[in-house]
Amino acid sequence: MTRGVPDARQGVGSLSNRRLHLILLPTEQCNFRCTYCYEDFTTGRMSAEVVEGVERLVDERLAGLRSLRISWFGGEPLLALPVVEEISAHILRGTAARPGLAYTADMTTNAYTLDVATAERLAALGIQQYQISLDGPGEIHDLTRVRADGKGSFARIWRNLMDFRDSSVRSRVVLRVHLTADNLPGMPEFLARIRETFLNDRRFSVALKPIEHLGGPNDESIGIVPEAKRSRVLAELSALVSSGTPVGPETPEGSSSVTEQEGAACYAARGDSLVIRADGSVGKCTVALTDPANTIGRLHPDGSLGIDNTRLRPWLRGWFTGDDEAIACPYRGMPRRVEPPLLHIARRGDRP
C-alpha cells in the first residue's frame, strides 16, 4: 500500500479475494494475569463444532486462494494445544495438494509452556513464527507478567528461549519488549542482554512496544510512556538493539523487527482478515474483544459465515474515505451508531 493513497480494492471483498487471514483463538483462558491485560477470560476452549467450522471454512476457501495465513492468539493458545494441532494438521493436508498456495502460520504466546519438543511439533505443523512478550529483567517482568497463581514467569520463559536458541527448530521468534514508564530506566541494560544472548541468531528479532491503556481493570495504575517522549525513546532503544545486528523478520501483526511501524495498515482494517473466537463468534480486532462493535458475525459448523455487514462496514471505512488513521487503527474513532442489521450469510460456494 502506498501511504496517502489508500486503495479500496485492498479493503473490500472480504471473502472473495485471493488472500485469507484467520486469527484463531483456540481458547480464551490464560495461565497468566498480566497487570495490563484487557481480556476477561470468560470463554473457554473451542468446541468440536467451532473446530469443524474453521476446518470447513478453510476447505471451502482453499481452491480460490493464493495466500492463507493463520495467526494463533488467545488467551494463551498453548493451553489448547490439541485444538491447534488438529486444525493445523487439517490445513496442512489441504494445502499439500495446492503447491501454488502460500501458507504461513504464526502464534502469539507467553511461551511459558513452549519447550523445544512443543516447538518442534508445531514447526512440523507449519507454525513458523512466535511473538513472545517480555517486560524487562526478571525482577521487573515478574511484577507485571504474573501467573494466574500469583507467581512470576520470567525464569521459565527465559529458559525456554535459551533452549530454543540452542535447538535446531527453524521457526522464528519476535521478542516483543513492552515499555512502561516504570521499566524504562532498566531497558538499556536489559536490551543489551537480549542483544548479546539472542540476536546473533537470525531466528530472533525484537519489537519494542509501549504499553497502552486498553480498558483493563488496572489501567489507572499503569504508567505509560508519554506520547511526547515515545519517538525519542523508541529511536534510542532501537539504536541500542540494532547496533551491529541485522534487521530481523516482521512480527505477526506486521510490525518491524525493532519498533512498531507508523502508518501501516492494521489487520483489522483489511477485508481479508477475520478473528474467530473460541465460541465461534467472528470479530475484527484482538484488542476490542469485549466491545460489542467487534462482533460482526458468527461461524457455523458447516463453515458458512453469518456476517452483519452494518457491523463490518465501519472496520473497512478508511479504504473508502481515504482516512489513513482509520486504516492504521480502525478501532480508534469507531462510529458508535448501531444501524439495523443487514445479515449476509456466506454459504458454501457463495462469494459476496
Side-chain angles (χ1 to χ4, degrees):
M1 182 187 68
T2 302
R3 301 305 298 146
V5 189
D7 182 353
R9 290 173 299 176
Q10 297 184 46
V12 299
S14 67
L15 297 182
S16 61
N17 55 32
R18 308 287 278 175
R19 302 190 305 178
L20 179 63
H21 177 208
L22 296 179
I23 303 173
L24 303 179
L25 280 63
T27 180
E28 298 184 34
Q29 295 298 303
C30 189
N31 51 347
F32 281 23
R33 290 296 183 270
C34 300
T35 57
Y36 42 74
C37 187
Y38 52 87
E39 297 192 36
D40 59 15
F41 314 113
T42 58
T43 304
R45 181 180 293 204
M46 264 190 186
S47 66
E49 290 77 12
V50 177
V51 170
E52 181 180 10
V54 171
E55 293 175 351
R56 290 189 175 186
L57 170 62
V58 172
D59 289 346
E60 170 61 22
R61 293 298 316 282
L62 278 179
L65 291 178
R66 294 176 181 170
S67 170
L68 172 63
R69 178 182 173 193
I70 302 295
S71 295
W72 295 99
F73 196 73
E76 169 49 45
L78 291 180
L79 294 184
L81 183 58
V83 174
V84 176
E85 291 179 316
E86 178 178 343
I87 293 175
S88 296
H90 182 92
I91 292 173
L92 274 188
R93 288 192 293 270
T95 57
R98 303 185 182 280
L101 172 65
Y103 169 54
T104 59
D106 53 72
M107 177 180 288
T108 297
T109 173
N110 59 39
Y112 193 76
T113 60
L114 186 64
D115 54 27
V116 169
T118 300
E120 288 175 339
R121 287 162 60 190
L122 293 178
L125 290 170
I127 295 178
Q128 303 164 343
Q129 184 164 293
Y130 297 96
Q131 181 170 268
I132 298 168
S133 295
L134 296 169
D135 285 7
E139 63 272 17
I140 300 297
H141 174 103
D142 285 344
L143 295 175
T144 52
R145 295 192 68 78
V146 184
R147 286 159 40 190
D149 62 6
K151 298 180 181 179
S153 61
F154 181 86
R156 183 161 170 176
I157 296 170
W158 192 264
R159 183 172 69 249
N160 286 341
L161 290 170
M162 295 280 284
D163 290 345
F164 188 105
R165 183 201 63 182
D166 296 337
S167 75
S168 59
V169 178
R170 299 184 66 179
S171 301
R172 302 187 301 273
V173 173
V174 177
L175 298 173
R176 175 171 160 136
V177 179
H178 289 148
L179 306 177
T180 68
D182 295 327
N183 70 15
L184 273 185
M187 271 298 151
E189 182 178 353
F190 180 62
L191 290 173
R193 180 184 178 190
I194 285 179
R195 186 187 65 220
E196 298 304 318
T197 306
F198 297 111
L199 297 189
N200 289 324
D201 186 328
R202 292 190 63 87
R203 293 173 298 172
F204 287 84
S205 60
V206 170
L208 301 178
K209 175 60 178 174
I211 288 293
E212 306 278 3
H213 289 157
L214 297 174
N218 301 312
D219 267 3
E220 293 184 3
S221 63
I222 297 169
I224 63 172
V225 180
E227 286 283 352
K229 293 177 56 177
R230 288 191 184 185
S231 294
R232 177 178 58 81
V233 167
L234 289 171
E236 292 174 354
L237 294 179
S238 297
L240 189 156
V241 173
S242 301
S243 177
T245 303
V247 173
E250 291 187 345
T251 71
E253 298 305 336
S255 314
S256 67
S257 63
V258 175
T259 60
E260 298 284 337
Q261 284 185 352
E262 294 297 329
C266 175
Y267 63 92
R270 301 194 60 91
D272 54 23
S273 180
L274 297 172
V275 176
I276 309 295
R277 296 186 61 176
D279 62 1
S281 60
V282 178
K284 290 294 291 174
C285 177
T286 58
V287 171
L289 291 178
T290 59
D291 191 326
N294 192 40
T295 300
I296 64 167
R298 175 160 290 278
L299 173 69
H300 302 297
D302 67 355
S304 64
L305 288 165
I307 300 296
D308 183 339
N309 290 326
T310 62
R311 290 183 176 272
L312 171 62
R313 194 174 298 121
W315 294 96
L316 310 182
R317 68 190 186 280
W319 302 103
F320 305 102
T321 63
D323 183 352
D324 278 9
E325 291 186 3
I327 293 173
C329 181
Y331 189 49
R332 291 197 192 104
M334 174 66 66
R336 292 296 168 180
R337 178 174 176 266
V338 178
E339 303 174 26
L342 173 62
L343 192 64
H344 171 79
I345 305 296
R347 302 265 180 209
R348 288 179 175 276
D350 287 351
R351 290 292 184 269

